[in-house]
Amino acid sequence: MAFRIWPDFMIHFILWSTFLMSLSSGILLLCFQMPATDAVGVCLIAFSIGNGLYACWVTRRIKFCSKILVKSLEPVSKFSDLNLPTYYMLAAGFLWMSMWIFGVIGALNFYFPPLVIIGLVLSLAWTTEVMRNIVNLTVSRVIALYYLRGMQSSTRFSFQRALSRNLGSACLGSLFVPTIEALRILARGLNLLKGEDEFMFCCANCCLRLMDFIFEHGNGWAFVQIAAYGKGFVRASQDTWKLFEDEDMVEIVDADITSSICFLTGICSGCVCLIVAAAWTHTVYKPFTATISLLAFFIGYLMTRISMALPHACVGCYYTCYAENPESRFFEDKVIKTRQDMIKSGRVAVTSTTPRVRRALA
């Protein structure tokens, strides 16, 4: 709700509140002076440092990202029931997580409890990602049809379609998109660290080209065309990326930080849950402080990720629908066109996610 009402303020708020919350939760766990809480606390403090560096690095992108978020959320007010799918999925997620916790407790009686618990954690992460993408597909269909055809589609019908015809694509995308994104970030990090070593140079370029090829065949931008046209996940990914290339939008969408903001929102919420749970558990059930704190963090993160599906989907629709029909009356303000002209003229330097890739491929 805060993102819909104050989108510009919330981007700045999340970038720095996540830094503060992760730092605070890390310091709190270190204060308990137990091996398990110390390990988690060090990880959170390291993450907060990286978060702070990232917030400084993307400063030049924030203004444009805010403009896109504000513009993309404008159609939401025309659909009074567009928030309902999010509420349904949050309720379903709450019920599923409540049962999942009993499963984790029961896993302690198995022969290999750590392996069973890791499997349950991965299963829950995938399940909630499917729930998030169901909301994503519902919102994407409603907003995309509004941009492309000027029609007000039924939210209820779009939700039913996401739960039936598009469910397979939601499950497939939920499995592959996070994995592909993580591997792509890893390849980019390798590209930044390769230095002048010839072996590292070859490995970095090979990994980066491979991940870019895979990304073109499976990416999160595909959900708009899946929702609007009923395409399969791979074909929708290919067609969407081709649209971006044809309209010279690859640099712009590659530098978009909306997905990072949604991720950090989940981390911030998880840290708040961790602080509350850790303070209570340390007083009542001290030996379980680290375990319950991690569970609280994980559940808070996943629930918030579901709730952030709506603004994320709106931004995806704005980019994809502009690429498909840039002359539409809904894009008369020329926000993206102006950005492209500024990049071409050199007035704006896009902080590339892989600063040395052009040199590497030259």
Side-chain angles (χ1 to χ4, degrees):
M1 184 181 295
F3 265 95
R4 293 194 296 271
I5 300 173
W6 309 293
D8 188 34
F9 166 77
M10 286 302 296
I11 290 177
H12 293 84
F13 177 78
I14 286 299
L15 280 172
W16 292 107
S17 65
T18 305
F19 166 74
L20 293 174
M21 286 298 171
S22 56
L23 182 63
S24 301
S25 55
I27 293 173
L28 176 65
L29 291 177
L30 286 177
C31 291
F32 294 150
Q33 297 182 348
M34 294 186 292
T37 57
D38 288 347
V40 178
V42 169
C43 292
L44 285 169
I45 291 174
F47 177 84
S48 69
I49 294 171
N51 187 154
L53 294 173
Y54 177 78
C56 296
W57 185 43
V58 299
T59 301
R60 287 182 291 179
R61 301 191 214 170
I62 293 176
K63 185 176 180 181
F64 178 71
C65 179
S66 299
K67 286 182 180 179
I68 293 294
L69 184 59
V70 170
K71 294 298 298 181
S72 66
L73 288 172
E74 286 179 358
V76 175
S77 60
K78 302 180 184 297
F79 303 92
S80 58
D81 58 348
L82 195 57
N83 296 316
L84 290 180
T86 304
Y87 301 147
Y88 294 151
M89 287 297 103
L90 284 172
F94 176 80
L95 293 174
W96 180 252
M97 289 177 193
S98 300
M99 293 186 289
W100 177 84
I101 291 172
F102 289 107
V104 172
I105 296 171
L108 298 175
N109 298 319
F110 282 74
Y111 290 108
F112 302 102
L115 292 178
V116 176
I117 292 174
I118 289 172
L120 287 171
V121 168
L122 293 176
S123 172
L124 179 63
W126 176 72
T127 303
T128 52
E129 186 69 10
V130 171
M131 293 179 181
R132 187 179 76 87
N133 283 325
I134 287 172
V135 179
N136 191 341
L137 287 167
T138 304
V139 176
S140 294
R141 179 174 173 81
V142 173
I143 301 298
L145 292 180
Y146 175 77
Y147 280 138
L148 298 174
R149 301 177 187 174
M151 61 182 287
Q152 293 197 351
S153 178
S154 168
T155 302
R156 181 178 178 181
F157 175 78
S158 299
F159 185 54
Q160 291 173 344
R161 183 185 173 97
L163 286 170
S164 53
R165 182 174 179 178
N166 299 140
L167 184 60
S169 294
C171 294
L172 185 65
S174 300
L175 181 64
F176 286 108
V177 170
T179 307
I180 292 171
E181 289 282 2
L183 292 175
R184 197 174 184 224
I185 291 171
L186 185 64
R188 286 171 166 176
L190 183 62
N191 185 68
L192 290 171
L193 297 173
K194 67 191 178 193
E196 302 302 327
D197 183 82
E198 185 176 351
F199 176 74
M200 289 295 292
F201 180 88
C202 294
C203 289
N205 287 335
C206 179
C207 291
L208 188 59
R209 289 184 181 186
L210 177 63
M211 290 316 304
D212 282 344
F213 174 79
I214 295 174
F215 186 77
E216 291 172 10
H217 292 76
N219 55 73
W221 304 104
F223 290 111
V224 178
Q225 293 219 357
I226 292 171
Y229 301 118
K231 296 180 181 179
F233 175 71
V234 176
R235 185 187 168 192
S237 299
Q238 293 173 317
D239 292 349
T240 304
W241 199 252
K242 189 176 184 304
L243 285 173
F244 290 153
E245 290 178 335
D246 293 343
E247 292 298 325
D248 197 21
M249 289 177 59
V250 173
E251 275 190 324
I252 292 177
V253 298
D254 211 29
D256 183 71
I257 62 172
T258 305
S259 59
S260 299
I261 295 297
C262 293
F263 168 74
L264 292 176
T265 305
I267 295 294
C268 183
S269 177
C271 287
V272 173
C273 295
L274 184 149
I275 291 171
V276 175
W280 175 79
T281 310
H282 187 261
T283 304
V284 183
Y285 302 105
K286 188 174 180 179
F288 300 98
T289 302
T291 304
I292 295 179
S293 298
L294 281 175
L295 282 175
F297 173 85
F298 191 52
I299 291 172
Y301 167 79
L302 293 176
M303 292 289 282
T304 306
R305 289 288 283 162
I306 294 174
S307 69
M308 287 298 294
L310 188 147
H312 196 187
C314 289
V315 171
C317 286
Y318 193 87
Y319 280 122
T320 307
C321 294
Y322 176 87
E324 187 167 341
N325 184 16
E327 302 302 323
S328 171
R329 61 187 176 88
F330 296 108
F331 308 114
E332 290 178 350
D333 48 20
K334 304 291 184 183
V335 175
I336 296 177
K337 181 65 176 175
T338 302
R339 185 71 170 184
Q340 289 174 317
D341 293 339
M342 293 175 71
I343 292 172
K344 290 176 182 177
S345 64
R347 286 180 289 168
V348 171
V350 177
T351 309
S352 175
T353 45
T354 49
R356 299 180 61 179
V357 67
R358 291 188 174 181
R359 179 186 170 189
L361 298 178

